[in-house]
Amino acid sequence: RKAVGVTNAGQGGRAATFSGSEFADVAYNEFLNTDNFTVSLWAKRGTGTGHAAPFSARDTSNNNKKGYILYSQNNTFQFWTGNGANGYNTSPASSSHSLNTWYQIAVTYDGTTKKIWLNGAGGATNNSNPNFLKNGLYSLRIGAGANENATGQYFWNGSLDEMRYSSVNRSADWIKAEYDNQKSSQSLVSYGSVTGPRMITSPLTTT
C-alpha cells in the first residue's frame, strides 16, 4: 500500500500518520493471536465519525468471524471480537473521544472477559460466552480494517503511536501505569531535590 507517513509530533516522539488511504500489514504470526492478550496504543483521529480502525486482526474465512478489531465510531472506541459465528461481538465501548486529540486506548482479554480502557481509566467489560476465537490466517493491519482484503477498508485518518501487543491480560494497575508513564505530563516518577551528597544505597555489589 501507499507508504505510511511519519510525524515528529507523536505522543512519544515520532508517530505514524495516515491520510485515509494507507495502512501497514504485519504478516500473520501466532504470537499476535494468543488466547489471552492486551493491545495498547495512542491514537489521534483527524476527521470523521464512521467506522475507522486503528488496528485489525480479524479472520472472515468460511464466513465465520474471528479475531479482534479496534474501531473508532461515533466518537467512541469499540473493541470488537469474532466468536466463530457470522457476526461480531461489538462491545465494550470507551467513553467519548474528540477529534485531533491524543488518547491512550488499551483492550484486554483474559479468556472470558473483554475490557477497554481510555487514558488508563474505564475498564468497560463484556463477558459474553463465547466471546472470542483467534484469527488463524490473516495479518495484523495497522491504520485500516478488513485485513482479509488486500486493498483495505475502514481507513484511519490521523496518527498512531506506541502500539504494543502482549500475550498477557494486563491488570488495571499496569494499564494505568503505562498511561501515566507516556502521557505528556507524566506522573509515574517524580524527582525531589538533592540537598546532600549522593549515596549509593543498593545492597548489590560489583566485581
Side-chain angles (χ1 to χ4, degrees):
R1 292 292 295 174
K2 180 181 173 183
V4 173
V6 177
T7 176
N8 290 324
Q11 179 60 30
R14 304 182 78 192
T17 60
F18 302 82
S19 64
S21 62
E22 63 274 91
F23 56 80
D25 275 351
V26 181
Y28 174 81
N29 188 313
E30 62 180 309
F31 298 111
L32 296 175
N33 297 276
T34 52
D35 293 318
N36 303 333
F37 62 88
T38 300
V39 188
S40 63
L41 83 169
W42 286 80
K44 180 170 70 170
R45 186 168 186 177
T47 61
T49 59
H51 286 93
F55 60 79
S56 174
R58 77 180 194 180
D59 178 350
T60 60
S61 56
N62 301 317
N63 293 318
N64 294 319
K65 308 298 192 294
K66 299 181 285 290
Y68 58 88
I69 312 164
L70 180 68
Y71 280 123
S72 165
Q73 187 208 17
N74 292 333
N75 303 315
T76 64
F77 291 104
Q78 303 166 5
F79 180 20
W80 288 34
T81 52
N83 62 11
N86 59 1
Y88 286 99
N89 185 324
T90 62
S91 65
S94 72
S95 55
S96 63
H97 72 77
S98 302
L99 296 178
N100 297 306
T101 302
W102 281 108
Y103 293 90
Q104 193 227 33
I105 309 97
V107 296
T108 64
Y109 183 66
D110 66 0
T112 302
T113 301
K114 297 163 52 179
K115 294 185 180 182
I116 189 167
W117 315 78
L118 188 68
N119 288 347
T125 64
N126 183 311
N127 58 2
S128 300
N129 185 23
N131 222 349
F132 171 72
L133 286 180
K134 295 182 290 185
N135 162 35
L137 183 61
Y138 293 105
S139 64
L140 168 63
R141 177 162 291 170
I142 301 169
N147 45 295
E148 75 286 353
N149 184 331
T151 58
Q153 199 174 352
Y154 312 119
F155 291 95
W156 186 253
N157 190 310
S159 302
L160 300 172
D161 200 2
E162 299 291 334
M163 183 172 175
R164 291 173 168 83
Y165 182 98
S166 173
S167 59
V168 175
N169 171 54
R170 297 297 188 189
S171 68
D173 286 344
W174 179 287
I175 291 168
K176 180 65 164 59
E178 184 178 57
Y179 168 69
D180 285 342
N181 185 48
Q182 295 174 351
K183 66 183 182 180
S184 298
S185 55
Q186 78 86 18
S187 58
L188 182 65
V189 178
S190 62
Y191 299 91
S193 59
V194 177
T195 57
R198 298 180 184 178
M199 298 178 63
I200 298 174
T201 58
S202 171
L204 301 177
T205 58
T206 60
T207 57

